[in-house]
Amino acid sequence: MREKLLPQRYTTLSMTLHWLMLALFVGVYTCIELKGLLPRGHALRGVLLGSHALFGIGIFLLVWLRLLGRLAPRPSILPRPPAWQTTMAHLMHLALYALMIVTPLLAWLMLNAAGKPVPYFEFALPSLVAVDPDMAKSLKHWHEWLGNAGYGLIGLHAAAGLFHHYWVRDNTLTRMLPKR
């Protein structure tokens, strides 16, 4: 009976934010991968790094709206998955939200510790820590480590959605897709 009271799909806002976040992640990863292919001193490296930062800040800002959206009723998965799958889904979402919050925060702290400004269009974000090159190096390590882990998290999230759609044949994926 409870499933009948819940919506069949996520709200338009939730769907829009979900797919916009994916586009921002594609931008973040594309910029950093392309930057890595260019030789040091190449003019596009700075543009790519700046774009990487803007996409990352976009993720950081929008994740808070996504978290607010989680307060709204969510559509049930039908048929209901086993409890272990629900637990795994909750852990995956927790990891993804941590990625979207912690990775940009580490970048912000890393740049502060390196004595570099964190530009956001015409604004500079405030410095949260004092200049400390050793801290900057450590924060860079963790930022990159989390960024690399993000490839796996996002890949597993997408694979789980496809698995549920094509193998299990439940409504996991269609809840996040616009109506046809």
Side-chain angles (χ1 to χ4, degrees):
M1 179 74 178
R2 178 166 142 50
E3 280 82 15
K4 299 230 186 269
L5 301 175
L6 292 174
Q8 297 286 314
R9 296 183 186 283
Y10 283 93
T11 65
T12 301
L13 178 61
S14 290
M15 285 188 253
T16 302
L17 287 172
H18 178 271
W19 297 108
L20 178 57
M21 298 290 271
L22 173 63
L24 290 171
F25 268 111
V26 168
V28 160
Y29 285 115
T30 299
C31 288
I32 210 64
E33 292 298 332
L34 289 175
K35 177 196 160 278
L37 295 174
L38 297 173
R40 286 191 183 272
H42 194 286
L44 281 181
R45 283 177 64 100
V47 171
L48 290 168
L49 195 56
S51 298
H52 170 82
L54 286 176
F55 290 137
I57 291 169
I59 289 170
F60 183 74
L61 293 174
L62 290 179
V63 71
W64 302 105
L65 288 176
R66 300 260 339 252
L67 286 168
L68 278 175
R70 290 190 62 89
L71 298 174
R74 292 188 295 272
S76 295
I77 298 174
L78 300 172
R80 185 176 297 281
W84 71 268
Q85 284 184 6
T86 302
T87 299
M88 293 303 291
H90 290 306
L91 290 173
M92 173 58 75
H93 285 110
L94 180 65
L96 286 167
Y97 281 109
L99 175 75
M100 291 183 272
I101 293 169
V102 175
T103 309
L105 273 178
L106 286 172
W108 188 352
L109 293 169
M110 171 188 70
L111 290 171
N112 289 169
K116 297 178 181 175
V118 183
Y120 191 64
F121 294 104
E122 296 297 318
F123 305 99
L125 298 179
S127 186
L128 303 175
V129 296
V131 174
D132 181 341
D134 290 333
M135 179 191 280
K137 186 184 247 186
S138 178
L139 292 167
K140 181 179 183 196
H141 164 78
W142 288 109
H143 175 76
E144 290 175 353
W145 186 90
L146 268 179
N148 287 327
Y151 284 111
L153 289 172
I154 294 165
L156 281 172
H157 180 67
L162 294 171
F163 172 77
H164 277 271
H165 187 71
Y166 290 108
W167 186 268
V168 178
R169 298 192 182 275
D170 63 19
N171 68 336
T172 296
L173 181 62
T174 57
R175 297 175 316 145
M176 191 50 80
L177 296 174
K179 290 182 181 178
R180 293 184 196 187

